[in-house]
Amino acid sequence: MHHDDVEDARPTGLAAARHALHAADRVVIFTGAGVSAESGVPTFRGAGGLWREFRAEDLATPEAFARDPRLVWEWYGWRRELVARCVPNAAHRAIAAFAAARADAASTSGVRIVTQNVDGLHQRAERELAAERAMPSPDAVLTLHGTLFGVRCTHCDARSPHTAPIDATSRATLPTCASCGSLLRPDVVWFGEALDPAILDAAFDAARHADVCLVVGTSALVQPAASIATLAARAGATLVEINAEATPLSALADVSLRGAAGALVPALLGEA
Ligand code: BV8
Ligand code: ZN
């Protein structure tokens, strides 16, 4: 196992990774907040933090929501409005084009995009590309941790899309369920909560059968998401990492490229 830093990347690193990706039948592209950083979406653990003096682990929990639903909704409302103003960047677009190019007539692609992100930017890139080409979207995205643009009822579990601004000025103005009147929560997976088993199984299944697993922009600290990459590697996939800094996956990767997703992902996936 060798890994290259892109500064002194002997052609082997990028070229080897490019070759493996373009020769692969089944590819899993596993992403984290770093793939959206150049779109202006704050990352969780990088510089700039995520919000005032709070850490995600403080607010993204059922306990924090039970204790202070107004504060937690204020945070999610702020993130939703911020993300709604962001657009997919060159990395999202290159990933969407790579998945679309490998979609067969039935529009099922040999590429699965497994994301930890809740910003919906992969799906937006897919939809925008499909519209540009008047083609069906391969719909290759699996979201492990939910979405900023959906809500779930704390009582009857009813789920629905929700993009309106959140009025978090008081407990009384927080969104409530149309059918049972109970408080609604963001439709995301909080720390200490189980991921949707069907989505997780689909992601693990894709990882087990992948020829190549490309990991983009994640600190690889959160479980069970980070196991996508180790599972793929253990099942024999070539592991390629693109990240601004080293992570626990860097030593395991066949090729680990240091740099910005917006530059490296198009270089890796773009058409020759
Ligand atoms: C579960 C949704 C059990 C919400 C998120 C000890 C105590 C308590 C819990 C645990 C513990 N040890 C382990 C756990 C479990 C815990 C966990 O893993 N904790 C970690 C922190 C140690 N996991 C859970 O709780 C999970 N659930 O285990 O349930 C269970 C089982 C059965 C039944 C009941 C219960 C649930 C985890 C999901 C939490 N929800 N998000 C929201 O977003 O508001 S996680 C959150 O972190 C986001 O989804 C985020 O995506 C994810 C991971 O972060 P990253 O995406 O990697 O982002 P990060 O900022 O960290 O890194 C960005 C990287 O990009 C950096 O490396 C940076 O260098 C790089 N970068 C930056 N810019 C660029 C770049 N790279 C390239 N280009 C750039 N331009
Ligand atoms: Zn309800």
Side-chain angles (χ1 to χ4, degrees):
M1 295 287 186
H2 60 278
H3 58 273
D4 303 280
D5 282 349
V6 76
E7 283 78 20
D8 68 356
R10 292 173 290 285
T12 50
L14 192 69
R18 235 184 101 78
H19 175 73
L21 277 154
H22 286 270
D25 288 335
R26 287 168 303 200
V27 176
V28 164
I29 303 179
F30 174 55
T31 69
V35 79
S36 298
E38 289 154 274
S39 295
V41 181
T43 61
F44 282 81
R45 295 168 186 89
L50 201 59
W51 193 51
R52 298 197 199 138
E53 68 287 355
F54 291 106
R55 293 177 332 114
E57 283 77 3
D58 301 335
L59 288 176
T61 68
E63 295 75 22
F65 189 72
R67 189 173 54 247
D68 190 347
R70 201 206 55 71
L71 177 67
V72 173
W73 260 123
E74 192 185 353
W75 181 46
Y76 279 92
W78 170 78
R79 286 172 68 195
R80 178 187 286 181
E81 287 187 36
L82 184 150
V83 170
R85 292 195 302 272
C86 297
V87 295
N89 64 56
H92 297 109
R93 290 198 302 273
I95 290 169
F98 187 75
R102 283 157 180 73
D104 58 27
S107 93
T108 50
S109 171
V111 177
R112 298 302 267 154
I113 302 160
V114 178
T115 189
Q116 301 170 89
N117 300 339
V118 294
D119 58 32
L121 290 176
H122 282 303
Q123 294 91 323
R124 275 176 54 189
E126 269 197 329
R127 280 198 304 273
E128 287 165 10
L129 184 74
E132 273 164 36
R133 298 182 177 175
M135 286 167 58
S137 161
D139 197 19
V141 184
L142 285 172
T143 50
L144 295 178
H145 296 156
T147 173
L148 281 177
F149 301 101
V151 287
R152 187 152 39 98
C153 178
T154 54
H155 177 69
C156 73
D157 226 21
R159 259 196 173 87
S160 56
H162 192 282
T163 55
I166 299 293
D167 178 357
T169 44
S170 82
R171 174 75 176 67
T173 57
L174 294 179
T176 51
C177 178
S179 52
C180 81
S182 305
L183 181 62
L184 293 173
R185 57 167 280 176
D187 190 9
V188 297
V189 179
W190 280 328
F191 288 100
E193 292 187 323
L195 280 65
D196 177 320
I199 295 177
L200 192 57
D201 286 351
F204 280 165
D205 193 49
R208 270 188 217 99
H209 296 97
D211 304 308
V212 179
C213 179
L214 171 60
V215 182
V216 185
T218 183
S219 58
L221 296 174
V222 171
Q223 293 298 350
S227 311
I228 299 290
T230 46
L231 197 68
R234 202 175 306 128
T238 300
L239 189 61
V240 179
E241 178 189 45
I242 288 178
N243 208 61
E245 58 198 356
T247 74
L249 293 178
S250 302
L252 181 72
D254 295 283
V255 177
S256 181
L257 301 170
R258 210 52 75 247
L264 285 174
V265 172
L268 210 50
L269 299 183
E271 290 313 309

mmCIF file with all atom_site columns, all heavy atoms in Angstrom, residues 30-31 55 58 68 73 113 129-130 149 151 155 164 187 195 216 219 224:
data_model
loop_
_atom_site.group_PDB
_atom_site.id
_atom_site.type_symbol
_atom_site.label_atom_id
_atom_site.label_alt_id
_atom_site.label_comp_id
_atom_site.label_asym_id
_atom_site.label_entity_id
_atom_site.label_seq_id
_atom_site.pdbx_PDB_ins_code
_atom_site.Cartn_x
_atom_site.Cartn_y
_atom_site.Cartn_z
_atom_site.occupancy
_atom_site.B_iso_or_equiv
_atom_site.pdbx_formal_charge
_atom_site.auth_seq_id
_atom_site.auth_comp_id
_atom_site.auth_asym_id
_atom_site.auth_atom_id
_atom_site.pdbx_PDB_model_num
ATOM 1   N N   . PHE A 1 30  ? -17.984 7.824  -1.600  1.00 0.00 ? 30  PHE A N   1
ATOM 2   C CA  . PHE A 1 30  ? -18.397 8.082  -0.221  1.00 0.00 ? 30  PHE A CA  1
ATOM 3   C C   . PHE A 1 30  ? -17.958 9.492  0.146   1.00 0.00 ? 30  PHE A C   1
ATOM 4   O O   . PHE A 1 30  ? -16.769 9.823  0.081   1.00 0.00 ? 30  PHE A O   1
ATOM 5   C CB  . PHE A 1 30  ? -17.736 7.040  0.704   1.00 0.00 ? 30  PHE A CB  1
ATOM 6   C CG  . PHE A 1 30  ? -17.971 7.287  2.174   1.00 0.00 ? 30  PHE A CG  1
ATOM 7   C CD1 . PHE A 1 30  ? -19.257 7.409  2.701   1.00 0.00 ? 30  PHE A CD1 1
ATOM 8   C CD2 . PHE A 1 30  ? -16.892 7.388  3.051   1.00 0.00 ? 30  PHE A CD2 1
ATOM 9   C CE1 . PHE A 1 30  ? -19.465 7.615  4.053   1.00 0.00 ? 30  PHE A CE1 1
ATOM 10  C CE2 . PHE A 1 30  ? -17.092 7.594  4.421   1.00 0.00 ? 30  PHE A CE2 1
ATOM 11  C CZ  . PHE A 1 30  ? -18.372 7.712  4.912   1.00 0.00 ? 30  PHE A CZ  1
ATOM 12  N N   . THR A 1 31  ? -18.930 10.367 0.484   1.00 0.00 ? 31  THR A N   1
ATOM 13  C CA  . THR A 1 31  ? -18.551 11.776 0.701   1.00 0.00 ? 31  THR A CA  1
ATOM 14  C C   . THR A 1 31  ? -18.963 12.292 2.072   1.00 0.00 ? 31  THR A C   1
ATOM 15  O O   . THR A 1 31  ? -19.908 11.806 2.686   1.00 0.00 ? 31  THR A O   1
ATOM 16  C CB  . THR A 1 31  ? -19.208 12.682 -0.372  1.00 0.00 ? 31  THR A CB  1
ATOM 17  O OG1 . THR A 1 31  ? -20.624 12.726 -0.147  1.00 0.00 ? 31  THR A OG1 1
ATOM 18  C CG2 . THR A 1 31  ? -18.907 12.198 -1.779  1.00 0.00 ? 31  THR A CG2 1
ATOM 19  N N   . ARG A 1 55  ? -20.734 22.922 19.164  1.00 0.00 ? 55  ARG A N   1
ATOM 20  C CA  . ARG A 1 55  ? -20.194 21.833 18.336  1.00 0.00 ? 55  ARG A CA  1
ATOM 21  C C   . ARG A 1 55  ? -21.371 20.970 17.908  1.00 0.00 ? 55  ARG A C   1
ATOM 22  O O   . ARG A 1 55  ? -22.367 20.881 18.622  1.00 0.00 ? 55  ARG A O   1
ATOM 23  C CB  . ARG A 1 55  ? -19.215 20.979 19.164  1.00 0.00 ? 55  ARG A CB  1
ATOM 24  C CG  . ARG A 1 55  ? -17.946 21.706 19.568  1.00 0.00 ? 55  ARG A CG  1
ATOM 25  C CD  . ARG A 1 55  ? -17.041 20.853 20.454  1.00 0.00 ? 55  ARG A CD  1
ATOM 26  N NE  . ARG A 1 55  ? -17.758 19.875 21.247  1.00 0.00 ? 55  ARG A NE  1
ATOM 27  C CZ  . ARG A 1 55  ? -17.625 18.554 21.071  1.00 0.00 ? 55  ARG A CZ  1
ATOM 28  N NH1 . ARG A 1 55  ? -16.817 18.108 20.130  1.00 0.00 ? 55  ARG A NH1 1
ATOM 29  N NH2 . ARG A 1 55  ? -18.294 17.701 21.811  1.00 0.00 ? 55  ARG A NH2 1
ATOM 30  N N   . ASP A 1 58  ? -22.942 18.800 20.341  1.00 0.00 ? 58  ASP A N   1
ATOM 31  C CA  . ASP A 1 58  ? -23.765 19.410 21.405  1.00 0.00 ? 58  ASP A CA  1
ATOM 32  C C   . ASP A 1 58  ? -25.205 19.571 20.952  1.00 0.00 ? 58  ASP A C   1
ATOM 33  O O   . ASP A 1 58  ? -26.131 19.475 21.748  1.00 0.00 ? 58  ASP A O   1
ATOM 34  C CB  . ASP A 1 58  ? -23.247 20.820 21.757  1.00 0.00 ? 58  ASP A CB  1
ATOM 35  C CG  . ASP A 1 58  ? -21.799 20.783 22.231  1.00 0.00 ? 58  ASP A CG  1
ATOM 36  O OD1 . ASP A 1 58  ? -21.389 19.705 22.736  1.00 0.00 ? 58  ASP A OD1 1
ATOM 37  O OD2 . ASP A 1 58  ? -21.096 21.782 22.051  1.00 0.00 ? 58  ASP A OD2 1
ATOM 38  N N   . ASP A 1 68  ? -33.932 21.788 24.539  1.00 0.00 ? 68  ASP A N   1
ATOM 39  C CA  . ASP A 1 68  ? -34.140 23.140 23.995  1.00 0.00 ? 68  ASP A CA  1
ATOM 40  C C   . ASP A 1 68  ? -34.446 23.083 22.494  1.00 0.00 ? 68  ASP A C   1
ATOM 41  O O   . ASP A 1 68  ? -33.589 23.412 21.672  1.00 0.00 ? 68  ASP A O   1
ATOM 42  C CB  . ASP A 1 68  ? -32.869 23.976 24.265  1.00 0.00 ? 68  ASP A CB  1
ATOM 43  C CG  . ASP A 1 68  ? -33.119 25.467 23.942  1.00 0.00 ? 68  ASP A CG  1
ATOM 44  O OD1 . ASP A 1 68  ? -34.149 25.773 23.296  1.00 0.00 ? 68  ASP A OD1 1
ATOM 45  O OD2 . ASP A 1 68  ? -32.277 26.299 24.335  1.00 0.00 ? 68  ASP A OD2 1
ATOM 46  N N   . TRP A 1 73  ? -33.698 24.105 16.652  1.00 0.00 ? 73  TRP A N   1
ATOM 47  C CA  . TRP A 1 73  ? -34.340 24.541 15.399  1.00 0.00 ? 73  TRP A CA  1
ATOM 48  C C   . TRP A 1 73  ? -33.705 25.834 14.864  1.00 0.00 ? 73  TRP A C   1
ATOM 49  O O   . TRP A 1 73  ? -33.571 26.037 13.662  1.00 0.00 ? 73  TRP A O   1
ATOM 50  C CB  . TRP A 1 73  ? -35.843 24.747 15.582  1.00 0.00 ? 73  TRP A CB  1
ATOM 51  C CG  . TRP A 1 73  ? -36.668 23.592 15.083  1.00 0.00 ? 73  TRP A CG  1
ATOM 52  C CD1 . TRP A 1 73  ? -37.563 22.844 15.791  1.00 0.00 ? 73  TRP A CD1 1
ATOM 53  C CD2 . TRP A 1 73  ? -36.667 23.045 13.759  1.00 0.00 ? 73  TRP A CD2 1
ATOM 54  N NE1 . TRP A 1 73  ? -38.125 21.879 14.996  1.00 0.00 ? 73  TRP A NE1 1
ATOM 55  C CE2 . TRP A 1 73  ? -37.588 21.979 13.745  1.00 0.00 ? 73  TRP A CE2 1
ATOM 56  C CE3 . TRP A 1 73  ? -35.981 23.341 12.576  1.00 0.00 ? 73  TRP A CE3 1
ATOM 57  C CZ2 . TRP A 1 73  ? -37.857 21.210 12.595  1.00 0.00 ? 73  TRP A CZ2 1
ATOM 58  C CZ3 . TRP A 1 73  ? -36.230 22.594 11.440  1.00 0.00 ? 73  TRP A CZ3 1
ATOM 59  C CH2 . TRP A 1 73  ? -37.154 21.544 11.447  1.00 0.00 ? 73  TRP A CH2 1
ATOM 60  N N   . ILE A 1 113 ? -23.524 6.917  -4.929  1.00 0.00 ? 113 ILE A N   1
ATOM 61  C CA  . ILE A 1 113 ? -22.973 8.045  -4.168  1.00 0.00 ? 113 ILE A CA  1
ATOM 62  C C   . ILE A 1 113 ? -23.536 7.932  -2.752  1.00 0.00 ? 113 ILE A C   1
ATOM 63  O O   . ILE A 1 113 ? -24.738 8.064  -2.557  1.00 0.00 ? 113 ILE A O   1
ATOM 64  C CB  . ILE A 1 113 ? -23.391 9.387  -4.810  1.00 0.00 ? 113 ILE A CB  1
ATOM 65  C CG1 . ILE A 1 113 ? -22.917 9.452  -6.269  1.00 0.00 ? 113 ILE A CG1 1
ATOM 66  C CG2 . ILE A 1 113 ? -22.846 10.566 -4.003  1.00 0.00 ? 113 ILE A CG2 1
ATOM 67  C CD1 . ILE A 1 113 ? -23.674 10.470 -7.111  1.00 0.00 ? 113 ILE A CD1 1
ATOM 68  N N   . LEU A 1 129 ? -27.980 18.188 -13.970 1.00 0.00 ? 129 LEU A N   1
ATOM 69  C CA  . LEU A 1 129 ? -27.331 17.542 -15.122 1.00 0.00 ? 129 LEU A CA  1
ATOM 70  C C   . LEU A 1 129 ? -28.382 16.830 -15.973 1.00 0.00 ? 129 LEU A C   1
ATOM 71  O O   . LEU A 1 129 ? -28.406 16.964 -17.197 1.00 0.00 ? 129 LEU A O   1
ATOM 72  C CB  . LEU A 1 129 ? -26.292 16.531 -14.635 1.00 0.00 ? 129 LEU A CB  1
ATOM 73  C CG  . LEU A 1 129 ? -25.483 15.860 -15.729 1.00 0.00 ? 129 LEU A CG  1
ATOM 74  C CD1 . LEU A 1 129 ? -24.453 16.823 -16.307 1.00 0.00 ? 129 LEU A CD1 1
ATOM 75  C CD2 . LEU A 1 129 ? -24.787 14.603 -15.219 1.00 0.00 ? 129 LEU A CD2 1
ATOM 76  N N   . ALA A 1 130 ? -29.295 16.122 -15.300 1.00 0.00 ? 130 ALA A N   1
ATOM 77  C CA  . ALA A 1 130 ? -30.350 15.395 -16.032 1.00 0.00 ? 130 ALA A CA  1
ATOM 78  C C   . ALA A 1 130 ? -31.197 16.385 -16.838 1.00 0.00 ? 130 ALA A C   1
ATOM 79  O O   . ALA A 1 130 ? -31.524 16.144 -18.002 1.00 0.00 ? 130 ALA A O   1
ATOM 80  C CB  . ALA A 1 130 ? -31.214 14.617 -15.050 1.00 0.00 ? 130 ALA A CB  1
ATOM 81  N N   . PHE A 1 149 ? -33.775 19.519 4.463   1.00 0.00 ? 149 PHE A N   1
ATOM 82  C CA  . PHE A 1 149 ? -34.987 20.035 3.810   1.00 0.00 ? 149 PHE A CA  1
ATOM 83  C C   . PHE A 1 149 ? -36.185 19.103 4.019   1.00 0.00 ? 149 PHE A C   1
ATOM 84  O O   . PHE A 1 149 ? -37.043 18.950 3.174   1.00 0.00 ? 149 PHE A O   1
ATOM 85  C CB  . PHE A 1 149 ? -34.721 20.275 2.321   1.00 0.00 ? 149 PHE A CB  1
ATOM 86  C CG  . PHE A 1 149 ? -33.598 21.251 2.104   1.00 0.00 ? 149 PHE A CG  1
ATOM 87  C CD1 . PHE A 1 149 ? -32.327 20.802 1.774   1.00 0.00 ? 149 PHE A CD1 1
ATOM 88  C CD2 . PHE A 1 149 ? -33.795 22.601 2.321   1.00 0.00 ? 149 PHE A CD2 1
ATOM 89  C CE1 . PHE A 1 149 ? -31.280 21.704 1.623   1.00 0.00 ? 149 PHE A CE1 1
ATOM 90  C CE2 . PHE A 1 149 ? -32.751 23.506 2.181   1.00 0.00 ? 149 PHE A CE2 1
ATOM 91  C CZ  . PHE A 1 149 ? -31.491 23.054 1.836   1.00 0.00 ? 149 PHE A CZ  1
ATOM 92  N N   . VAL A 1 151 ? -38.797 17.247 7.396   1.00 0.00 ? 151 VAL A N   1
ATOM 93  C CA  . VAL A 1 151 ? -39.139 17.188 8.822   1.00 0.00 ? 151 VAL A CA  1
ATOM 94  C C   . VAL A 1 151 ? -39.812 15.861 9.143   1.00 0.00 ? 151 VAL A C   1
ATOM 95  O O   . VAL A 1 151 ? -40.293 15.157 8.255   1.00 0.00 ? 151 VAL A O   1
ATOM 96  C CB  . VAL A 1 151 ? -40.112 18.334 9.219   1.00 0.00 ? 151 VAL A CB  1
ATOM 97  C CG1 . VAL A 1 151 ? -39.401 19.666 9.263   1.00 0.00 ? 151 VAL A CG1 1
ATOM 98  C CG2 . VAL A 1 151 ? -41.307 18.372 8.288   1.00 0.00 ? 151 VAL A CG2 1
ATOM 99  N N   . HIS A 1 155 ? -44.118 12.747 17.234  1.00 0.00 ? 155 HIS A N   1
ATOM 100 C CA  . HIS A 1 155 ? -45.111 11.843 17.843  1.00 0.00 ? 155 HIS A CA  1
ATOM 101 C C   . HIS A 1 155 ? -45.536 10.741 16.864  1.00 0.00 ? 155 HIS A C   1
ATOM 102 O O   . HIS A 1 155 ? -45.317 9.571  17.111  1.00 0.00 ? 155 HIS A O   1
ATOM 103 C CB  . HIS A 1 155 ? -46.349 12.648 18.278  1.00 0.00 ? 155 HIS A CB  1
ATOM 104 C CG  . HIS A 1 155 ? -47.446 11.794 18.858  1.00 0.00 ? 155 HIS A CG  1
ATOM 105 N ND1 . HIS A 1 155 ? -47.302 11.157 20.072  1.00 0.00 ? 155 HIS A ND1 1
ATOM 106 C CD2 . HIS A 1 155 ? -48.660 11.428 18.358  1.00 0.00 ? 155 HIS A CD2 1
ATOM 107 C CE1 . HIS A 1 155 ? -48.408 10.452 20.317  1.00 0.00 ? 155 HIS A CE1 1
ATOM 108 N NE2 . HIS A 1 155 ? -49.241 10.599 19.294  1.00 0.00 ? 155 HIS A NE2 1
ATOM 109 N N   . ALA A 1 164 ? -39.495 25.713 4.002   1.00 0.00 ? 164 ALA A N   1
ATOM 110 C CA  . ALA A 1 164 ? -39.845 27.089 4.440   1.00 0.00 ? 164 ALA A CA  1
ATOM 111 C C   . ALA A 1 164 ? -38.891 27.537 5.557   1.00 0.00 ? 164 ALA A C   1
ATOM 112 O O   . ALA A 1 164 ? -38.339 26.706 6.282   1.00 0.00 ? 164 ALA A O   1
ATOM 113 C CB  . ALA A 1 164 ? -41.267 27.096 4.972   1.00 0.00 ? 164 ALA A CB  1
ATOM 114 N N   . ASP A 1 187 ? -35.434 16.208 9.758   1.00 0.00 ? 187 ASP A N   1
ATOM 115 C CA  . ASP A 1 187 ? -35.390 14.801 9.350   1.00 0.00 ? 187 ASP A CA  1
ATOM 116 C C   . ASP A 1 187 ? -33.939 14.380 9.117   1.00 0.00 ? 187 ASP A C   1
ATOM 117 O O   . ASP A 1 187 ? -33.538 14.035 7.999   1.00 0.00 ? 187 ASP A O   1
ATOM 118 C CB  . ASP A 1 187 ? -36.215 14.595 8.068   1.00 0.00 ? 187 ASP A CB  1
ATOM 119 C CG  . ASP A 1 187 ? -36.394 13.104 7.772   1.00 0.00 ? 187 ASP A CG  1
ATOM 120 O OD1 . ASP A 1 187 ? -36.035 12.287 8.655   1.00 0.00 ? 187 ASP A OD1 1
ATOM 121 O OD2 . ASP A 1 187 ? -36.867 12.770 6.661   1.00 0.00 ? 187 ASP A OD2 1
ATOM 122 N N   . LEU A 1 195 ? -29.192 4.814  12.136  1.00 0.00 ? 195 LEU A N   1
ATOM 123 C CA  . LEU A 1 195 ? -29.427 5.183  10.745  1.00 0.00 ? 195 LEU A CA  1
ATOM 124 C C   . LEU A 1 195 ? -30.560 4.295  10.209  1.00 0.00 ? 195 LEU A C   1
ATOM 125 O O   . LEU A 1 195 ? -30.827 3.237  10.760  1.00 0.00 ? 195 LEU A O   1
ATOM 126 C CB  . LEU A 1 195 ? -28.149 4.954  9.926   1.00 0.00 ? 195 LEU A CB  1
ATOM 127 C CG  . LEU A 1 195 ? -27.054 6.024  10.007  1.00 0.00 ? 195 LEU A CG  1
ATOM 128 C CD1 . LEU A 1 195 ? -26.446 6.129  11.393  1.00 0.00 ? 195 LEU A CD1 1
ATOM 129 C CD2 . LEU A 1 195 ? -25.959 5.790  8.968   1.00 0.00 ? 195 LEU A CD2 1
ATOM 130 N N   . VAL A 1 216 ? -14.322 11.157 -0.505  1.00 0.00 ? 216 VAL A N   1
ATOM 131 C CA  . VAL A 1 216 ? -14.065 12.580 -0.745  1.00 0.00 ? 216 VAL A CA  1
ATOM 132 C C   . VAL A 1 216 ? -14.546 13.416 0.438   1.00 0.00 ? 216 VAL A C   1
ATOM 133 O O   . VAL A 1 216 ? -15.723 13.423 0.774   1.00 0.00 ? 216 VAL A O   1
ATOM 134 C CB  . VAL A 1 216 ? -14.787 13.092 -2.015  1.00 0.00 ? 216 VAL A CB  1
ATOM 135 C CG1 . VAL A 1 216 ? -14.393 14.537 -2.312  1.00 0.00 ? 216 VAL A CG1 1
ATOM 136 C CG2 . VAL A 1 216 ? -14.489 12.200 -3.218  1.00 0.00 ? 216 VAL A CG2 1
ATOM 137 N N   . SER A 1 219 ? -13.650 13.378 7.462   1.00 0.00 ? 219 SER A N   1
ATOM 138 C CA  . SER A 1 219 ? -12.639 13.125 8.497   1.00 0.00 ? 219 SER A CA  1
ATOM 139 C C   . SER A 1 219 ? -12.697 11.672 8.947   1.00 0.00 ? 219 SER A C   1
ATOM 140 O O   . SER A 1 219 ? -11.878 11.236 9.748   1.00 0.00 ? 219 SER A O   1
ATOM 141 C CB  . SER A 1 219 ? -12.892 14.053 9.696   1.00 0.00 ? 219 SER A CB  1
ATOM 142 O OG  . SER A 1 219 ? -14.214 13.834 10.183  1.00 0.00 ? 219 SER A OG  1
ATOM 143 N N   . PRO A 1 224 ? -21.827 4.603  12.059  1.00 0.00 ? 224 PRO A N   1
ATOM 144 C CA  . PRO A 1 224 ? -21.214 3.575  11.205  1.00 0.00 ? 224 PRO A CA  1
ATOM 145 C C   . PRO A 1 224 ? -20.838 4.053  9.794   1.00 0.00 ? 224 PRO A C   1
ATOM 146 O O   . PRO A 1 224 ? -20.311 3.268  9.015   1.00 0.00 ? 224 PRO A O   1
ATOM 147 C CB  . PRO A 1 224 ? -22.319 2.516  11.127  1.00 0.00 ? 224 PRO A CB  1
ATOM 148 C CG  . PRO A 1 224 ? -23.587 3.280  11.271  1.00 0.00 ? 224 PRO A CG  1
ATOM 149 C CD  . PRO A 1 224 ? -23.275 4.416  12.197  1.00 0.00 ? 224 PRO A CD  1
#
